[in-house]
Amino acid sequence: ETGVTQTPRHLVMGMTNKKSLKCEQHLGHNAMYWYKQSAKKPLELMFVYNFKEQTENNSVPSRFSPECPNSSHLFLHLHTLQPEDSALYLCASSRELVSGANVLTFGAGSRLTVL
Amino acid sequence: SQELEQSPQSLIVQEGKNLTINCTSSKTLYGLYWYKQKYGEGLIFLMMLQKGGEEKSHEKITAKLDEKKQQSSLHITASQPSHAGIYLCGVSHASGTYKYIFGTGTRLKVLA
């Protein structure tokens, strides 16, 4: 496989469930990102990892818990979510964190619906 | 006011027509990126602009960054149904940061 792969593509969960989103990249990149895309709102940066170390937590509620075991894998653990958390969650990667020249490669996204 | 605004929000054109999408920032840009998103899917990188006055082209899509580095335009010549999707601009507003701010996107529909 090539590029950035996200699983599952679709997820429906209740507010008391615990689930995880998975992202895998086969590009040899060292930086990985989680973005949230809600209807009619700009993409929101959630977390950034560089060489497995978290470098950004954009004031994300603790019900979202990221994990980056290595530079190729990124997880987003979900628990006790709210209906307003329903959105498209996009994973992205880049070669490294470079100011002003940071091209992102995105996965196809995981569509999350919280009932 | 918004830090980054895209216009128009949506656009419907007849196949073969030219169109322009704008991305305007309230601050000087250090890097501007254009991405395309098919509905409900991930973003695909189109072009990156960094220098004032810079212009880049990819197939029938041309993007330019103005001299003041606060506005970019994306121009599609002789549009085709394959151009349909959401076009998003992303910017970095400060030197030394990798963080993007994205616009809300422009939804383009091309009628065959």
Side-chain angles (χ1 to χ4, degrees):
Chain A
E1 289 192 52
T2 58
V4 179
T5 304
Q6 289 188 243
T7 54
R9 290 294 310 277
H10 301 273
L11 179 63
V12 179
M13 59 188 288
M15 290 192 286
T16 58
N17 291 159
K18 288 185 180 181
K19 297 285 184 183
S20 296
L21 306 180
K22 178 182 176 183
C23 176
E24 185 174 359
Q25 57 95 1
H26 303 271
L27 300 167
H29 288 171
N30 295 305
M32 296 189 78
Y33 312 71
W34 279 117
Y35 280 88
K36 176 183 178 183
Q37 188 176 37
S38 305
K40 298 186 179 180
K41 292 176 70 175
L43 274 172
E44 299 172 53
L45 179 63
M46 300 175 72
F47 301 103
V48 180
Y49 279 82
N50 190 38
F51 290 94
K52 303 188 300 177
E53 299 296 320
Q54 188 180 118
T55 56
E56 184 78 25
N57 178 338
N58 202 22
S59 302
V60 180
S62 59
R63 57 186 183 269
F64 295 91
S65 174
E67 179 190 0
C68 188
N70 53 61
S71 292
S72 298
H73 294 86
L74 185 65
F75 295 89
L76 189 63
H77 304 299
L78 316 168
H79 62 98
T80 59
L81 294 190
Q82 304 298 311
E84 59 265 28
D85 296 322
S86 298
L88 182 68
Y89 288 85
L90 292 162
C91 173
S93 69
S94 65
R95 190 172 299 171
E96 56 189 48
L97 295 183
V98 178
S99 60
N102 208 34
V103 176
L104 301 176
T105 301
F106 283 84
S110 292
R111 171 70 64 185
L112 173 66
T113 302
V114 182
L115 302 176
Chain B
S1 64
Q2 299 288 335
E3 282 190 63
L4 191 65
E5 291 192 8
Q6 275 189 248
S7 62
Q9 290 187 1
S10 63
L11 195 53
I12 302 174
V13 300
Q14 201 69 40
E15 182 177 1
K17 295 294 185 183
N18 302 335
L19 63 104
T20 300
I21 298 168
N22 294 302
C23 178
T24 303
S25 171
S26 58
K27 305 177 187 178
T28 300
L29 310 172
Y30 284 85
L32 183 136
Y33 309 78
W34 283 102
Y35 288 85
K36 178 186 175 184
Q37 183 180 27
K38 290 190 176 180
Y39 298 108
E41 296 192 4
L43 282 67
I44 298 169
F45 171 72
L46 296 175
M47 279 172 278
M48 175 178 72
L49 303 166
Q50 290 184 282
K51 300 176 184 175
E54 186 176 12
E55 184 173 312
K56 288 187 177 177
S57 294
H58 175 68
E59 297 179 345
K60 292 185 178 180
I61 302 176
T62 301
K64 185 173 180 179
L65 183 61
D66 77 351
E67 292 289 343
K68 294 184 178 178
K69 295 176 67 176
Q70 288 193 254
Q71 183 176 24
S72 177
S73 58
L74 183 86
H75 185 77
I76 299 177
T77 304
S79 58
Q80 301 168 358
S82 60
H83 287 128
I86 303 170
Y87 289 82
L88 295 103
C89 64
V91 303
S92 55
H93 271 142
S95 176
T97 181
Y98 51 82
K99 285 196 263 189
Y100 275 59
I101 296 174
F102 279 96
T104 51
T106 296
R107 289 179 175 265
L108 172 64
K109 187 172 184 178
V110 180
L111 303 176

